[in-house]
């Protein structure tokens, strides 16, 4: 066996996933555009797209390739394989209805936060966030809530891998400051995000811990002028803590 074969296979798989990422980010693209973006040969891109197309993972419209709905089947399976997934969805919708703001449920995979479910209340602002979207843990309320229940070694590994990218001028980019913030989160039971990921947007989140493991986090977000009122640090934390506790009990005793 050629010793270089495994590395070529890995590169091939990596290229394929990168191509899919480009199709998502650019909302469709042609072979030349993808090749330029990824610095790949057009023949390589065409071969990869042909493989994805023949297996039903991309479609072609008006000369452009787009991600196909077959990925939806995979994503929905990944979400629904968690037995408590439906409960989390119902609770997110209830939070949105109760608060009239935007509610989310986050989970963590590979050191990143992922929106498992989102719902919008009557007054919710459009924050350009959707289910399946990846976020950094350190700059979101839900992510910080999850980090607060991890040990220091695991957090440091996440920082080593992803860093602490700055999304706004309020984002925490210093490791010591982040650990101080996580300690404060543990003490009060909930995390706070004041314009750390989107200017003008505030959020509160609480972790969900069942059977000794952090499962995810519920959060509610809204514009600063509404969230900086007393209910943000009085009523809303209690609402979120009660929701999290309910899901924890249902998971542990289901």
């Amino acid at each position: 066996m050629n010793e270089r074969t495994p590395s070529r296979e890995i590169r091939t798989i990596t290229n394929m996933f990168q191509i899919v990422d480009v199709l998502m980010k650019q909302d469709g693209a042609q072979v030349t555009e993808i090749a330029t973006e990824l610095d790949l040969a057009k023949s390589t891109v065409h071969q990869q797209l042909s493989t994805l197309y023949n297996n039903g993972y991309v479609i072609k419209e008006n000369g452009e390739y787009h991600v196909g709905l077959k990925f939806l089947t995979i994503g929905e399976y990944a979400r629904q394989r968690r037995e408590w997934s439906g409960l989390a969805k119902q609770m997110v919708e209830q939070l949105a209805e109760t608060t009239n703001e935007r509610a989310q449920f986050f989970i963590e995979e590979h050191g990143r936060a992922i929106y498992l479910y989102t719902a919008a209340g009557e007054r919710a602002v459009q924050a350009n966030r959707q289910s399946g979207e990846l976020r950094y843990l350190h700059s979101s309320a839900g992510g910080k809530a999850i980090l607060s229940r991890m040990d220091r070694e695991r957090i440091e590994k996440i920082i080593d891998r992803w860093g602490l990218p700055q999304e706004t001028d309020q984002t925490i980019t210093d490791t010591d400051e982040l650990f101080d913030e996580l300690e404060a989160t543990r003490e009060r039971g909930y995390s706070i995000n004041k314009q750390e990921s989107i200017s003008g947007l505030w959020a509160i989140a609480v972790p969900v811990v069942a059977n000794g493991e952090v499962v995810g986090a519920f959060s509610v977000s809204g514009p600063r002028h509404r969230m900086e009122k007393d209910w943000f640090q009085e009523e809303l934390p209690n609402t979120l803590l009660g929701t999290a506790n309910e899901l924890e009990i249902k998971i542990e005793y289901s």
Side-chain angles (χ1 to χ4, degrees):
M1 178 183 294
N2 188 329
E3 292 183 359
R4 298 181 60 187
T5 300
S7 64
R8 286 203 303 270
E9 291 174 351
I10 291 172
R11 285 199 302 272
T12 297
I13 295 170
T14 299
N15 290 341
M16 186 173 292
F17 284 120
Q18 289 177 335
I19 288 169
V20 172
D21 286 340
V22 170
L23 293 179
M24 290 177 60
K25 291 176 182 177
Q26 297 189 8
D27 192 25
Q30 297 179 341
V31 171
T32 301
E33 295 170 329
I34 299 170
T36 300
E37 175 73 18
L38 298 178
D39 193 23
L40 294 173
K42 288 193 291 184
S43 59
T44 299
V45 173
H46 185 269
Q47 183 181 40
Q48 296 279 29
L49 285 169
S50 295
T51 300
L52 288 165
Y53 181 87
N54 291 334
N55 284 277
Y57 288 100
V58 301
I59 60 173
K60 194 172 184 180
E61 296 177 345
N62 300 320
E64 287 188 339
Y65 289 92
H66 293 265
V67 172
L69 286 174
K70 191 170 183 178
F71 281 106
L72 180 62
T73 302
I74 297 172
E76 194 59 30
Y77 166 77
R79 183 163 66 174
Q80 294 295 333
R81 74 179 183 81
R82 298 167 173 83
E83 295 179 357
W84 45 263
S85 176
L87 292 172
K89 180 177 184 292
Q90 294 172 16
M91 291 177 179
V92 167
E93 292 171 347
Q94 184 177 357
L95 280 170
E97 182 178 355
T98 300
T99 63
N100 289 319
E101 302 290 356
R102 182 169 295 278
Q104 298 89 199
F105 187 83
F106 291 81
I107 64 169
E108 176 271 329
E109 284 188 351
H110 301 290
R112 296 291 297 273
I114 303 174
Y115 288 100
L116 195 66
Y117 290 109
T118 67
E122 292 183 357
R123 298 186 300 175
V125 296
Q126 296 299 319
N128 194 29
R129 306 298 195 200
Q130 60 186 355
S131 297
E133 185 174 346
L134 286 168
R135 295 286 311 284
Y136 292 108
L137 291 167
H138 73 287
S139 58
S140 62
K144 288 193 289 184
I146 293 171
L147 284 173
S148 73
R149 302 309 297 259
M150 294 181 180
D151 60 47
R152 187 180 184 95
E153 182 180 0
R154 186 175 178 191
I155 296 171
E156 288 176 341
K157 288 181 179 179
I158 290 172
I159 295 173
D160 287 343
R161 180 174 183 181
W162 300 109
L164 299 174
Q166 184 169 8
E167 297 189 75
T168 73
D169 59 5
Q170 299 298 315
T171 305
I172 295 175
T173 58
D174 178 77
T175 301
D176 291 337
E177 184 180 352
L178 177 61
F179 278 110
D180 288 343
E181 174 71 10
L182 297 180
E183 180 59 31
T185 296
R186 282 188 286 270
E187 290 177 358
R188 63 176 172 251
Y190 60 90
S191 62
I192 299 175
N193 171 4
K194 294 183 178 180
Q195 306 185 90
E196 295 173 46
S197 55
I198 298 177
S199 295
L201 195 73
W202 284 22
I204 277 185
V206 299
V208 175
V209 182
N211 300 315
E213 297 289 334
V214 59
V215 172
F218 286 107
S219 77
V220 170
S221 58
R224 174 180 175 177
H225 72 273
R226 288 203 297 265
M227 302 295 272
E228 63 183 352
K229 297 178 180 179
D230 290 342
W231 84 288
F232 181 76
Q233 294 194 27
E234 295 176 4
E235 182 180 343
L236 186 53
N238 288 331
T239 299
L240 284 164
L241 288 166
T243 301
N245 183 245
E246 181 180 354
L247 182 57
E248 289 168 348
I249 292 172
K250 289 182 176 179
I251 292 174
E252 290 183 351
Y253 294 98
S254 63

